[in-house]
Each structure stands twice: as C-alpha cells, then as structure tokens.
Amino acid sequence: MNNIFKKGLRFENYEAPNISPFDKLFEIFKELITHTSGDVEEALDWLAQLDKEYDLTTAEYTLDDFIEDLKKKGYLRDEVDPEKGGGMTITAKTERAIRQKALDQIFGNLKRSRSGNHKAKSIGQGDEHTGEFRNYRYGDGLDNISMTESIKNAQIHNGIGEFILNENDLVVEETNFKAQMSTVLMIDISHSMILYGEDRITPAKKVAMALAELITTRYPKDTLDILVFGNDAWPIAIKDLPYLKVGPYHTNTVAGLQLAMDMLRRKRNTNKQIFMITDGKPSCLRMPDGQYYKNSNGLDQFIVEKCYNMASQARKLHIPITTFMIAQDQYLMQFVREFTQANQGKAFYTGLQGLGEMIFEDYEQNRKKRLKG
C-alpha cells in the first residue's frame, strides 16, 4: 500500500518556557520597580499582592527567598537612610537590567548588530565594510586591503607553484562613512503627565531607557543627553531614569529647549537633533529677574511666541526638533504645527502605544542623512 502524506495543522497544549522561579519573579519585579520609580518597598508590596492573587510563589520558593536571591545576585542592597532608619535600594546592576528590559519591550524586533551601523549614502574611506571590492589605488590605506581576495588573485594570475604577490593583485574593500548623531531627549515632567488617571511618565521613561540602552550598545559613537523640564529644566544621567517622577510643575518648554541647544552646541558631531516628549501646553517662563510667569488658561500668546523663537533659533543652528505630542486637543495640535513649521522639524500626534517604535524609526531615518552644520 502506498504511503499517503497529508499536510495540515497539528494542535498541542501550550507549554510555558522552562524558566526558574527567580527569573519569573524578576521579570515582574523589573516592571514594578519601573512603575514605582525605584521604590523597592512599594514594588515588593505590589509583588506580594500579585502573589496572593495569582500564586506566583510556592512553598519551595517563597517571596522571602526571592528577596534574598536579589541581594545575593547583586540586584538589591540594604541601605541605612538617616531619615527613615533603613531600607533596600536597587543597584547599578538592576538599573542596567531595567534598561535592557525596556529595550527588549520597545525595540525587541530589531536585529542585534555590531556597533555603529548607521550608514551614510556615500562610499569612501570610512570604517564600515560594504562587502564590495575594487583594485588597489595609490593612497589606499593598507588596513583596507583584503588579504584573502588579494592572495586569491595572486594564485589565479601566477599559479600555485611559486607564490608571487604584486600590486596588480591587491584588492581593496569599499567602506562607508558612518554618520554620527548627537541627540537630546527632552521629557516633560509637569503634573499633567499623570492627570486624568493616565500614567504617561512611565512609558516616556521606558522609551528613554530603551533609547539610552540602544545607543550605548549599538551606536556607541553617538551621544545621548537627557533632560527633564517642568518649571525649569535640568539634565539627568541615564542611571537616574528609573527614579524619574512627575512633580507639581507647570511646563517651561522654553527652558528645556534652551538647555538642549546649549548641550548640542558643545558636541562636535555634525548631526544634531532634539526629541521632545510632552503632553501639555507651554504654561511657564522664567523671567530675567528670576520670577516665574505662569498661565495655564489656554495658550498664552507671550509664552507661545517665546517657544516659536526658540524653534527658529534651533533651525538656524541646523538642529531639527521632533515633537512627540501625547495629546489630541485641537488647539494644542495647532500650536505644535506652528512650532514645527518655525523649526522645519517634525511632529507626531500620538498616544502612548507605539511611542518607542516611532522614536526609533525617526532616529534611524535621521541617521541616514547628514544634516548641514
């Protein structure tokens, strides 16, 4: 009897990946510690509540065992707080793990590649190999000579009986120049970032951590500076991102832009750009005498004009501003459109979903071209 082969689908019961009890809890802990802005006690309280509801731990591996492992593995340390009398805090190892988790969540579909793979369109004496070859020309660097291809040519031209390698056998591999980018990421931490029952600061924080991890690991020659702006603006270190919180602030967009441009003036890279994540209208300025001018009622024309002036100044410095507006109010969208026009930059009117992908795509697109400085 002839064998009959049939094609079709086969369904089986799903089996979860075999991960250790620690790794399972650690994935949840990293998410919680991001939401609590680095507050270990609060994150562990949430984890305990989840454990009661979903039976995350067992008699063989309890929550206390997990906390002890966190300390043994270097993710937590006991710290004496003069005011509170003690407690636990996360370590630099945890901060790095949180950034990596954010990178996997937001840019997880990206293929891992070696550092510096932002390509400019021109081929020349760069430091990124293209896989294309040409004959050696006077002036080519010796380090660009492909010895494998050159030796193969010598064998073809002269045979293998007596090995001779001359100038006509030499082959050079073409290389690309790599454009380098200096980016400043501005994050709005005004009170509106947690208004109306929506947590907007945590997604913004995750995007910043993912972008920071992406640049430091994949594009190490690029630079990323991060600043936050409320009533004023100030820079923060990458290691400070997990602890970022919203404050009782108005939105001083002008102060943020001034600081961003000051940061970029000190960079040597030709390509410079500003990413701004905000959900609210500009509502604050700091006057020359140090006093604050604030107005949250609609769009204050005095404040708005200052924003347009900053956009124009950035344009003169060849610094494009990409605004990611987490709001759908028509009058705010009109402000962003006029602001973008003054800068000749770009604007995205977005919710929280897909924010990371949009920022990455724009980052990649800008890295493919050289901005005239």
Side-chain angles (χ1 to χ4, degrees):
M1 182 178 180
N2 294 330
N3 291 328
I4 300 175
F5 297 94
K6 296 182 179 180
K7 295 182 179 180
L9 298 176
R10 181 179 179 181
F11 295 93
E12 295 181 349
N13 291 330
Y14 172 76
E15 294 184 5
N18 186 22
I19 61 175
S20 69
F22 172 83
D23 290 334
K24 180 179 70 173
L25 292 173
F26 190 47
E27 285 300 305
I28 302 171
F29 177 76
K30 285 185 288 185
E31 188 72 25
L32 294 176
I33 203 70
T34 302
H35 281 272
T36 63
S37 298
D39 189 322
V40 174
E41 298 297 334
E42 185 180 1
L44 291 175
D45 285 343
W46 285 11
L47 186 58
Q49 293 179 31
L50 291 172
D51 183 25
K52 289 180 181 178
E53 187 170 354
Y54 298 105
D55 295 325
L56 301 177
T57 63
T58 63
E60 291 76 25
Y61 193 83
T62 66
L63 196 56
D64 288 336
D65 294 328
F66 173 64
I67 295 172
E68 191 62 31
D69 280 347
L70 285 174
K71 294 178 182 180
K72 288 179 180 179
K73 295 176 183 289
Y75 292 110
L76 284 185
R77 67 169 181 266
D78 291 312
E79 187 174 78
V80 177
D81 190 319
E83 296 181 358
K84 298 181 180 179
M88 290 179 289
T89 183
I90 61 175
T91 64
K93 185 177 181 180
T94 311
E95 294 166 359
R96 175 64 188 273
I98 294 170
R99 293 198 301 270
Q100 183 61 51
K101 180 177 177 63
L103 176 64
D104 292 340
Q105 283 182 331
I106 294 172
F107 305 144
N109 59 337
L110 302 181
K111 293 181 179 179
R112 296 287 187 269
S113 65
R114 58 187 177 185
S115 65
N117 62 347
H118 293 304
K119 298 180 182 178
K121 294 180 180 179
S122 57
I123 292 178
Q125 294 181 359
D127 55 357
E128 184 171 358
H129 298 285
T130 66
E132 299 178 2
F133 300 94
R134 60 170 174 80
N135 292 332
Y136 174 83
R137 294 195 295 261
Y138 177 76
D140 286 330
L142 295 179
D143 55 340
N144 287 334
I145 295 176
S146 172
M147 294 307 300
T148 301
E149 294 295 321
S150 299
I151 291 172
K152 183 171 71 174
N153 284 345
Q155 292 176 338
I156 293 172
H157 296 157
N158 305 305
I160 60 175
E162 183 177 356
F163 179 76
I164 299 174
L165 178 68
N166 57 49
E167 184 177 344
N168 293 330
D169 300 318
L170 297 179
V171 172
V172 171
E173 184 175 1
E174 294 280 23
T175 54
N176 274 328
F177 282 109
K178 286 185 294 187
Q180 296 177 13
M181 175 67 79
S182 289
T183 302
V184 173
L185 177 62
M186 297 173 51
I187 303 175
D188 183 351
I189 59 167
S190 62
H191 185 59
S192 60
M193 290 289 278
I194 55 171
L195 282 180
Y196 314 117
E198 185 173 39
D199 177 10
R200 295 167 174 172
I201 190 62
T202 298
K205 188 163 52 177
K206 283 186 178 181
V207 167
M209 289 191 291
L211 192 60
E213 189 69 9
L214 179 78
I215 289 175
T216 54
T217 57
R218 184 169 177 176
Y219 311 128
K221 291 187 177 181
D222 289 4
T223 67
L224 174 67
D225 291 281
I226 303 170
L227 67 87
V228 294
F229 62 105
N231 291 347
D232 294 291
W234 60 94
I236 63 171
I238 291 174
K239 66 181 180 63
D240 297 329
L241 281 169
Y243 312 100
L244 191 60
K245 295 180 180 180
V246 168
Y249 306 125
H250 286 69
T251 307
N252 192 344
T253 306
V254 169
L257 292 170
Q258 286 175 332
L259 179 57
M261 285 191 282
D262 287 343
M263 289 175 165
L264 290 174
R265 284 190 185 98
R266 298 192 289 267
K267 304 298 182 182
R268 295 182 179 180
N269 292 344
T270 301
N271 285 4
K272 301 175 182 181
Q273 65 181 350
I274 295 172
F275 286 162
M276 178 168 63
I277 303 175
T278 181
D279 75 323
K281 57 184 175 294
S283 59
C284 177
L285 288 175
R286 189 169 187 178
M287 306 306 291
D289 62 0
Q291 298 295 314
Y292 291 97
Y293 175 78
K294 301 175 183 177
N295 186 359
S296 298
N297 298 319
L299 283 173
D300 185 296
Q301 198 59 35
F302 177 63
I303 298 176
V304 166
E305 288 297 330
K306 293 289 186 182
C307 291
Y308 295 158
N309 289 340
M310 293 303 301
S312 298
Q313 288 182 34
R315 180 184 178 184
K316 291 177 182 177
L317 294 171
H318 305 286
I319 300 174
I321 303 170
T322 302
T323 304
F324 297 88
M325 191 72 174
I326 311 173
Q328 301 297 326
D329 306 74
Q330 288 299 319
Y331 77 105
L332 291 180
M333 293 170 69
Q334 180 60 33
F335 158 71
V336 172
R337 278 191 287 269
E338 294 181 15
F339 176 86
T340 302
Q341 184 177 4
N343 175 256
Q344 292 297 293
K346 283 180 283 186
F348 296 91
Y349 308 95
T350 174
L352 299 175
Q353 297 296 324
L355 178 63
E357 287 84 349
M358 282 188 290
I359 286 182
F360 170 74
E361 288 172 6
D362 199 62
Y363 181 81
E364 287 278 83
Q365 186 62 35
N366 289 345
R367 290 298 286 102
K368 293 177 183 176
K369 61 186 177 184
R370 283 194 177 274
L371 306 174
K372 294 181 179 179

